[in-house]
């Protein structure tokens, strides 16, 4: 019911099935860790998670930490062998080109990082945590997850640290990485839900007797899930209305001359490259104005889903990107399509960039 998962599922984002594999890895690690095949299948789920979305690779830390027993090195080694065997086999089965064409894989990762770096966040950890608190888990479930983490730290069992270290390590990596994407949070949601559920189970068991505890836990869980579920429901309702990008797409095809150079950023209409010379950029602010002039791009298409976070506070990419959009929005605006009672989606602005006189 979490809005981010529901929303990204509409776009077939790879992080959605990756989050399911993350959840499966955690379940097997917690429930079936006593057998060799249990460790093997924990590795299999972690391998499938990593192959589905590379950002989910960190989940393999959970079974690795759970498998580690300093006083039993041979048993630990055996578990590591089954874990790594399952993880490597599953990863290569789902992503064979990691082995067959490693150079293309590394090139793709570099291109993706360059693309994301164009919308870098000044304080990544604050941005990610703020989004989790306000938009994904909502304050109630987020607070429950924090309590659950506190309970796990207090108990200090090996399995508790196995659940704690992966999300902490992942958030630490995001904090030092200038690239940002809200999709990166999806693979953290199973951990957040696990900690929130653990907090409810711990507190319910402390304050209520077993027959009443189950009902109290279920009631509080449903109450915490209400706000995220309502957010996801409203998002789905909005998607039943005509999208502003569709309206803008029709307008562009009807009004812009063929073979014109059109530069567009993410979350804008996907105009046909057979009809126009299209330059696609993650955010228009990733290129200076002289670049558009040199390319002969006289039409720029901007989306509020991109420029809102760069142009308005907290100005994710810093003052340079904000200044780019400030100047851009002073140029002639040919058309604007904003969400309203009968439409949904971002605000789309089609802007004319006059070329200098020869």
């Amino acid at each position: 019911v979490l809005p981010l998962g529901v929303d990204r599922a509409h776009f077939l984002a790879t992080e959605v099935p990756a989050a399911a594999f993350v959840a499966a890895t955690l379940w097997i690690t917690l429930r079936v860790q006593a057998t060799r095949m249990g460790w093997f299948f924990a590795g299999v789920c972690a391998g499938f998670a990593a192959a589905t979305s590379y950002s989910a690779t960190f989940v393999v830390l959970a079974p690795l930490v759970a498998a580690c027993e300093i006083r039993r090195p041979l048993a630990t080694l055996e578990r590591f062998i089954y874990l790594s065997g399952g993880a490597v086999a599953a990863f290569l089965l789902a992503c064979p080109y990691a082995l067959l064409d490693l150079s293309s894989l590394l090139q793709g990762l570099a291109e993706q990082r360059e693309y994301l770096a164009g919308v870098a966040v000044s304080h990544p950890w604050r941005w990610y945590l703020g989004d989790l608190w306000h938009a994904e888990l909502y304050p109630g479930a987020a607070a429950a997850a924090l309590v659950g983490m506190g309970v796990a730290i207090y108990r200090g069992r090996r399995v508790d640290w196995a659940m704690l270290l992966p999300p902490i390590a992942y958030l630490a990596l995001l904090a030092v990485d200038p690239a940002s994407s809200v999709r990166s949070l999806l693979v953290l949601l199973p951990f957040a839900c696990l900690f929130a559920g653990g907090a409810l189970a711990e507190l319910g068991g402390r304050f209520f007797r077993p027959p009443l505890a189950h009902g109290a836990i279920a009631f509080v869980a449903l109450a915490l899930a209400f706000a995220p579920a309502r957010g996801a429901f409203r998002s789905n309702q909005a998607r039943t209305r005509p999208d502003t990008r569709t309206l803008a797409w029709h307008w562009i095809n009807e009004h812009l001359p063929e073979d014109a150079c059109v530069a567009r950023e993410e979350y804008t209409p996907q105009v046909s490259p057979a009809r126009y010379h299209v330059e696609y950029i993650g955010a228009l602010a990733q290129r200076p104005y002289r670049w558009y002039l040199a390319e002969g791009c006289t039409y720029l298409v901007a989306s509020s889903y991109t420029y809102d976070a760069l142009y308005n506070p907290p100005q994710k990419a810093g003052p340079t990107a904000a200044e780019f959009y400030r100047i851009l929005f002073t140029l002639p605006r040919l058309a604007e399509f904003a969400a309203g009672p009968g439409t949904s989606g971002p605000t789309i602005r089609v802007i004319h960039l006059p070329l200098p006189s020869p």
Side-chain angles (χ1 to χ4, degrees):
V1 299
L2 298 179
L4 181 60
V6 174
D7 181 74
R8 294 296 95 184
H10 286 289
F11 300 99
L12 300 179
T14 55
E15 287 82 359
V16 175
F21 284 121
V22 167
T25 304
L26 300 185
W27 184 85
I28 294 176
T29 301
L30 291 171
R31 307 290 296 181
V32 201
Q33 57 177 312
T35 65
R36 294 173 177 174
M37 294 309 295
W39 295 113
F40 176 79
F41 282 113
V44 166
C45 289
F48 280 139
T52 307
S53 176
Y54 299 142
S55 61
T57 304
F58 77 98
V59 74
V60 76
L61 289 174
L64 283 176
V65 174
C68 185
E69 285 190 69
I70 298 177
R71 296 180 181 179
R72 300 179 62 194
L74 292 179
T76 298
L77 178 61
E78 182 184 55
R79 294 168 184 171
F80 281 1
I81 291 173
Y82 278 95
L83 263 172
S84 58
V88 171
F91 181 83
L92 292 179
L93 179 64
C95 188
Y97 284 96
L99 184 63
L100 300 177
D101 193 2
L102 181 60
S103 60
S104 294
L105 171 69
L106 297 178
Q107 181 183 352
L109 290 175
E111 290 174 353
Q112 179 71 0
R113 179 172 176 78
E114 181 183 358
Y115 160 70
L116 289 174
V119 287
V121 181
S122 302
H123 301 285
W125 62 271
R126 186 184 303 172
W127 182 78
Y128 281 113
L129 291 178
D131 192 83
L132 278 172
W133 183 273
H134 296 289
E136 311 309 338
L137 295 172
Y138 286 69
L146 288 176
V147 172
M149 294 181 71
V151 170
I153 293 172
Y154 175 78
R155 286 191 306 222
R157 301 175 305 179
R158 187 174 73 252
V159 71
D160 291 321
W161 286 110
M163 299 298 108
L164 280 165
L165 290 179
I168 292 174
Y170 184 61
L171 278 174
L173 178 63
L174 294 180
V176 299
D177 191 342
S180 65
S181 172
V182 69
R183 291 166 51 178
S184 302
L185 297 175
L186 263 172
V187 292
L188 280 179
L189 296 182
F191 287 93
C193 293
L194 176 68
F195 287 126
L200 296 185
E202 182 73 20
L203 296 177
R206 286 178 177 270
F207 291 103
F208 300 97
R209 293 183 177 181
L212 188 58
H214 297 158
I217 292 170
F219 175 79
V220 176
L222 289 173
L224 293 179
F226 177 76
R230 182 176 59 180
F233 177 76
R234 288 177 175 174
S235 176
N236 278 344
Q237 273 192 319
R239 294 196 183 282
T240 64
R241 302 194 293 268
D243 194 281
T244 52
R245 285 162 288 195
T246 303
L247 301 177
W249 183 86
H250 286 293
W251 187 93
I252 290 172
N253 285 329
E254 292 173 3
H255 293 84
L256 298 191
E258 289 191 33
D259 298 324
C261 181
V262 178
R264 71 177 191 89
E265 61 186 5
E266 193 171 16
Y267 304 114
T268 55
Q270 299 182 23
V271 293
S272 172
R275 183 181 178 90
Y276 300 103
H277 173 56
V278 181
E279 295 287 351
Y280 174 70
I281 307 161
L284 292 175
Q286 288 179 252
R287 299 285 189 271
Y289 279 103
R290 64 178 179 274
W291 184 88
Y292 295 104
L293 295 174
E295 293 294 320
C297 286
T298 52
Y299 302 101
L300 277 63
V301 187
S303 168
S304 62
Y305 281 1
T306 299
Y307 67 70
D308 265 352
L310 278 66
Y311 178 54
N312 300 314
Q315 296 180 345
K316 280 172 45 180
T320 302
E323 179 66 9
F324 175 93
Y325 283 105
R326 187 192 68 77
I327 297 174
L328 179 67
F329 295 152
T330 63
L331 298 176
R333 191 175 307 171
L334 302 181
E336 179 172 305
F337 303 87
T343 57
S344 65
T347 297
I348 302 296
R349 295 179 177 180
V350 182
I351 295 168
H352 182 236
L353 179 61
L355 295 178
S357 301

